[in-house]
Amino acid sequence: MHSRSLRARSWALPTLLVALPAIVLACSSTSAGRGAPPVVAAAPQTHTARAPAAAEVQKAAQARKPSAQASDVERVLHLAATDNRVQEHLRHLTKEIGPRLTGSKRFDRAAEWCRDQFKGYGLDARLEKWGEFDVAFDRGRQQGRIVAPEVQELVFQTSAWTPGTQGAVRASALLEPADQAGLDDLKGKLAGAWLVRRAERPDGKLRRAIEDACEAEGLAGYVAGARGDLLVMFGGHKVKLDKLPKQVRIQLRHDQHAALEARLAGGEAVELEFDIENTFTPGPVPCFNVVADLRGTDQPDEYVVVGGHLDSWDGAEGAQDNGTGVSTTMEAARLLAAAGVKPKRTIRFVLFGGEEEGLFGSEGYVRDHEELLAKTSVALVHDGGGTALQGIAPDYRMFPDVEAVFAPLVASHPKFPFTVRELDALQNSQDSDHAPFLTAGVPAFFWEQSEEGYEHVHHTQYDTFETVDPEQQKHSATVVAVAALGFANLDHLLDRTTLQEGKPLPRRRMGVQLDGAKVTEVTQGGKAQKAGLLADDVIVSIDGVAVKTQGEVVSALQKGGARKSFRVQRGGAEVEVVLDYTDDAAEKERAERAERKAQWLREHPRKPTK
Ligand SMILES: [Zn+2]
């Protein structure tokens, strides 16, 4: 569901980034009995020791067979380094099953397969129904071509829950009329034809007249152009069996559409053929989450939830959205079970359905397990693609615990440092399965990871298995496993005081598009535009804090007082621009919370870093 344009997950401003030699790991083994591994460092500053090369760590991890006394964490890290099957899970999901639209047969196959895998690891696994859809939609084989005057394959998609063709439909391509005269000219010729939309769409009135004429004459379907090379998939699940959409609506890759429009505008006669197997199945269609428990020993009725959504759009294989999150969740379960860990609390692995349509599975989980929420320490959601998990952002009260949970990971892979970043209060981006937990007052996190290359695959025809880097996935599965165990073994539930202080505050927004710290676009009417920030300005610092990346900009923006002094490089000069949030509704509450934080830190001074 999540759109990622300026969802800056700022991980560039680490509160803690320490690469310590592996020996530290050993010491954490002794602390396993005492709950959380030792706090390695607390003060919000960065230290960088020489990190052993990736190969060295790998070799060391492989060579160092964990001793019988080794801690659970060390056994998990060793297994994750020597026998990591995350890519096998992903390959099966994407290649053996394919895209998993909520309510579709492939989703159900995937849900049953995941459940059975979890059972195979020795977990108590089941499907939990969270609701129903009225109509199931399954996408089958599809092909589109120009068939005359020459043959050319077409790259296209139809939205989910829209009709396909009854077999191959070959017909003339007609160009959408630009005026009433053009429409009058087309009347009587529309039956069974393909209408190619213009990039420059006619006005609303004419558009409706065209739709009416097409409907009346029984057009085969519409062929519109995508904005660019990416065919971004979407669809509306709220269809009723007795009111199914009738028109085939094709989205053609931009370049092919532009060429076709030009040929038709030039008067050339072109014939198209589409054969699209989209099927609707009457409901009610039961919709599920997959839930699997690794039961706790000391507090089995307390939970740590880790997961991500199993459903995907169906324009490709749903690899990075969200096969990667599903496979790291499964591998974490397998690693923990195979390492024979005995967590204090129950670790509950949840693969949600209905995320793309509106967080339905996670909302359903929170609704149907309300009685467990007070004893659910944390929920961790992986739904950001195939890059390595590299950060988490707890609030200041949770920080020491979270820092301790991730201490074993700081040095586990020098290529993928892990950052624990401290916030005044948790952020709720409302756009993935962590959101319903946060809204219900349960600490919940969306893992931070690089967005590199994500836009290219996000809901597009390119979201395939081959786009995923195995090394990063293996590391992410390791992070999920160690995190689940760490939180499950804390001496107490994660602190949720700031959550009970009221909803996480909305983030301060600028109203710009950023490339790193460079402003690429200024939104009309936004904070930045009002303050006089211009496109091409390069933000140098905010309130004196130097910034270089998008993450650093957004993180610095959330900190401190409401008037933000930006220093920006504009052409050859450096100028100051002040973005003023004083009148924003959230500012008063933000200031009060900052004071409460200062008070709490005075009462709970951080242990000095070694
Ligand atoms: Zn997603």
Side-chain angles (χ1 to χ4, degrees):
M1 175 181 188
H2 44 79
S3 66
R4 301 197 116 215
S5 55
L6 191 62
R7 263 191 61 80
R9 304 184 187 291
S10 55
W11 47 92
L13 203 65
T15 309
L16 172 78
L17 181 60
V18 177
L20 299 169
I23 44 171
V24 170
L25 197 55
C27 71
S28 69
S29 60
T30 53
S31 67
R34 281 188 271 108
V39 173
V40 212
Q45 56 195 339
T46 54
H47 303 276
T48 313
R50 184 193 72 74
E56 276 173 53
V57 169
Q58 262 352 62
K59 220 160 89 263
Q62 269 143 358
R64 189 184 58 248
K65 192 143 188 16
S67 66
Q69 290 69 44
S71 75
D72 286 357
V73 171
E74 205 175 25
R75 280 205 314 283
V76 170
L77 283 170
H78 178 75
L79 208 52
T82 55
D83 177 18
N84 194 315
R85 303 180 195 169
V86 67
Q87 286 298 94
E88 287 170 36
H89 311 321
L90 184 61
R91 199 195 59 71
H92 187 93
L93 274 171
T94 54
K95 298 298 181 189
E96 305 301 324
I97 298 175
R100 304 160 302 278
L101 190 75
T102 303
S104 71
K105 292 183 181 57
R106 283 202 183 96
F107 178 92
D108 293 352
R109 259 180 64 205
E112 282 150 13
W113 178 74
C114 292
R115 176 203 54 204
D116 297 344
Q117 294 295 302
F118 282 129
K119 280 188 174 167
Y121 309 150
L123 276 61
D124 163 17
R126 58 207 168 272
L127 301 186
E128 286 188 359
K129 186 180 161 189
W130 52 259
E132 296 171 339
F133 277 1
D134 292 333
V135 176
F137 177 84
D138 288 283
R139 194 180 292 278
R141 212 178 45 75
Q142 64 177 41
Q143 186 188 32
R145 303 180 300 164
I146 291 177
V147 285
E150 84 290 346
V151 175
Q152 183 198 336
E153 285 299 322
L154 295 173
V155 180
F156 70 97
Q157 57 102 342
T158 56
S159 302
W161 288 283
T162 65
T165 59
Q166 306 306 318
V169 176
R170 175 178 179 144
S172 304
L174 303 175
L175 184 58
E176 181 177 42
D179 51 34
Q180 188 58 44
L183 176 56
D184 297 341
D185 191 37
L186 272 190
K187 282 189 175 155
K189 302 176 188 142
L190 294 164
W194 293 107
L195 190 80
V196 176
R197 298 269 197 213
R198 287 174 186 271
E200 291 284 320
R201 302 298 318 284
D203 65 34
K205 190 162 161 283
L206 181 58
R207 256 190 247 185
R208 279 188 297 283
I210 293 169
E211 290 263 342
D212 296 346
C214 291
E215 180 118 6
E217 295 191 30
L219 187 78
Y222 298 94
V223 181
R227 246 191 259 143
D229 171 55
L230 303 180
L231 296 173
V232 180
M233 181 59 78
F234 51 87
H237 68 282
K238 293 191 183 125
V239 292
K240 296 278 178 221
L241 202 62
D242 57 355
K243 275 207 215 77
L244 289 175
K246 294 197 188 66
Q247 283 301 346
V248 177
R249 295 179 188 275
I250 287 162
Q251 200 180 68
L252 190 58
R253 202 177 62 197
H254 179 81
D255 59 327
Q256 293 187 326
H257 175 266
L260 180 57
E261 182 179 350
R263 293 174 73 174
L264 296 174
E268 198 179 340
V270 177
E271 279 193 33
L272 304 175
E273 182 185 82
F274 288 98
D275 186 354
I276 305 168
E277 282 175 14
N278 290 355
T279 53
F280 296 98
T281 308
V285 184
C287 299
F288 306 100
N289 294 330
V290 183
V291 178
D293 291 336
L294 181 57
R295 291 204 67 71
T297 51
D298 303 4
Q299 292 97 19
D301 60 341
E302 294 186 1
Y303 293 84
V304 168
V305 170
V306 291
H309 68 92
L310 175 61
D311 68 293
S312 75
W313 284 111
D314 56 354
E317 300 169 354
Q320 296 204 41
D321 195 9
N322 182 35
T324 40
V326 170
S327 50
T328 57
T329 302
M330 293 175 70
E331 183 56 11
R334 192 194 70 80
L335 288 170
L336 292 171
V341 306
K342 298 273 177 284
K344 283 184 179 173
R345 290 182 185 81
T346 295
I347 301 175
R348 171 164 285 184
F349 303 89
V350 187
L351 303 175
F352 302 99
E355 192 272 352
E356 296 292 2
E357 292 78 24
L359 309 183
F360 294 145
S362 48
E363 281 176 357
Y365 178 90
V366 165
R367 177 198 62 220
D368 300 341
H369 293 286
E370 199 182 352
E371 79 290 356
L372 301 182
L373 299 181
K375 290 195 169 186
T376 299
S377 183
V378 66
L380 303 164
V381 168
H382 184 192
D383 180 20
T387 53
L389 302 186
Q390 66 185 42
I392 194 166
D395 67 38
Y396 61 92
R397 296 177 73 110
M398 302 167 181
F399 183 82
D401 284 332
V402 177
E403 190 183 45
V405 165
F406 289 94
L409 286 164
V410 169
S412 73
H413 202 305
K415 237 176 108 181
F416 309 125
F418 194 90
T419 307
V420 179
R421 193 169 55 83
E422 181 184 325
L423 294 175
D424 295 348
L426 291 193
Q427 297 288 344
N428 189 346
S429 52
Q430 300 287 359
D431 57 2
S432 191
D433 294 309
H434 62 304
F437 289 90
L438 277 171
T439 307
V442 176
F445 300 98
F446 185 105
W447 293 106
E448 299 185 346
Q449 46 192 132
S450 160
E451 293 176 6
E452 202 183 330
Y454 192 67
E455 193 132 13
H456 187 69
V457 297
H458 188 216
H459 299 176
T460 75
Q461 73 270 37
Y462 296 114
D463 191 8
T464 63
F465 175 78
E466 291 72 19
T467 66
V468 177
D469 170 12
E471 197 187 1
Q472 298 198 59
Q473 265 291 91
K474 286 180 179 174
H475 182 67
S476 295
T478 311
V479 169
V480 174
V482 170
L485 185 60
F487 283 113
N489 286 342
L490 284 177
D491 292 339
H492 44 258
L493 295 170
L494 202 58
D495 186 301
R496 58 183 67 189
T497 311
T498 64
L499 277 172
Q500 281 147 356
E501 278 171 346
K503 282 218 190 81
L505 292 171
R507 279 186 309 193
R508 290 176 178 147
R509 295 181 178 276
M510 295 168 63
V512 297
Q513 291 285 342
L514 284 176
D515 175 9
K518 182 177 179 185
V519 178
T520 55
E521 203 182 302
V522 179
T523 316
Q524 209 53 35
K527 203 56 89 175
Q529 191 253 337
K530 286 189 193 129
L533 210 58
L534 302 174
D536 296 333
D537 281 352
V538 178
I539 304 165
V540 178
S541 70
I542 300 173
D543 291 350
V545 177
V547 293
K548 284 196 184 59
T549 70
Q550 176 178 337
E552 286 171 359
V553 169
V554 171
S555 180
L557 188 64
Q558 310 308 323
K559 292 208 154 60
R563 281 175 60 78
K564 314 305 305 164
S565 161
F566 282 58
R567 301 290 306 172
V568 302
Q569 196 64 41
R570 180 174 297 167
E574 195 177 283
V575 298
E576 185 196 25
V577 177
V578 176
L579 273 65
D580 191 349
Y581 294 84
T582 310
D583 303 334
D584 287 21
E587 282 313 310
K588 184 166 166 298
E589 174 66 17
R590 199 187 302 276
E592 282 163 7
R593 287 187 189 185
E595 177 40 38
R596 273 199 293 273
K597 174 185 174 180
Q599 173 70 22
W600 192 82
L601 287 174
R602 278 192 292 275
E603 289 157 5
H604 304 80
R606 290 277 156 80
K607 296 190 193 70
T609 47
K610 290 197 188 99

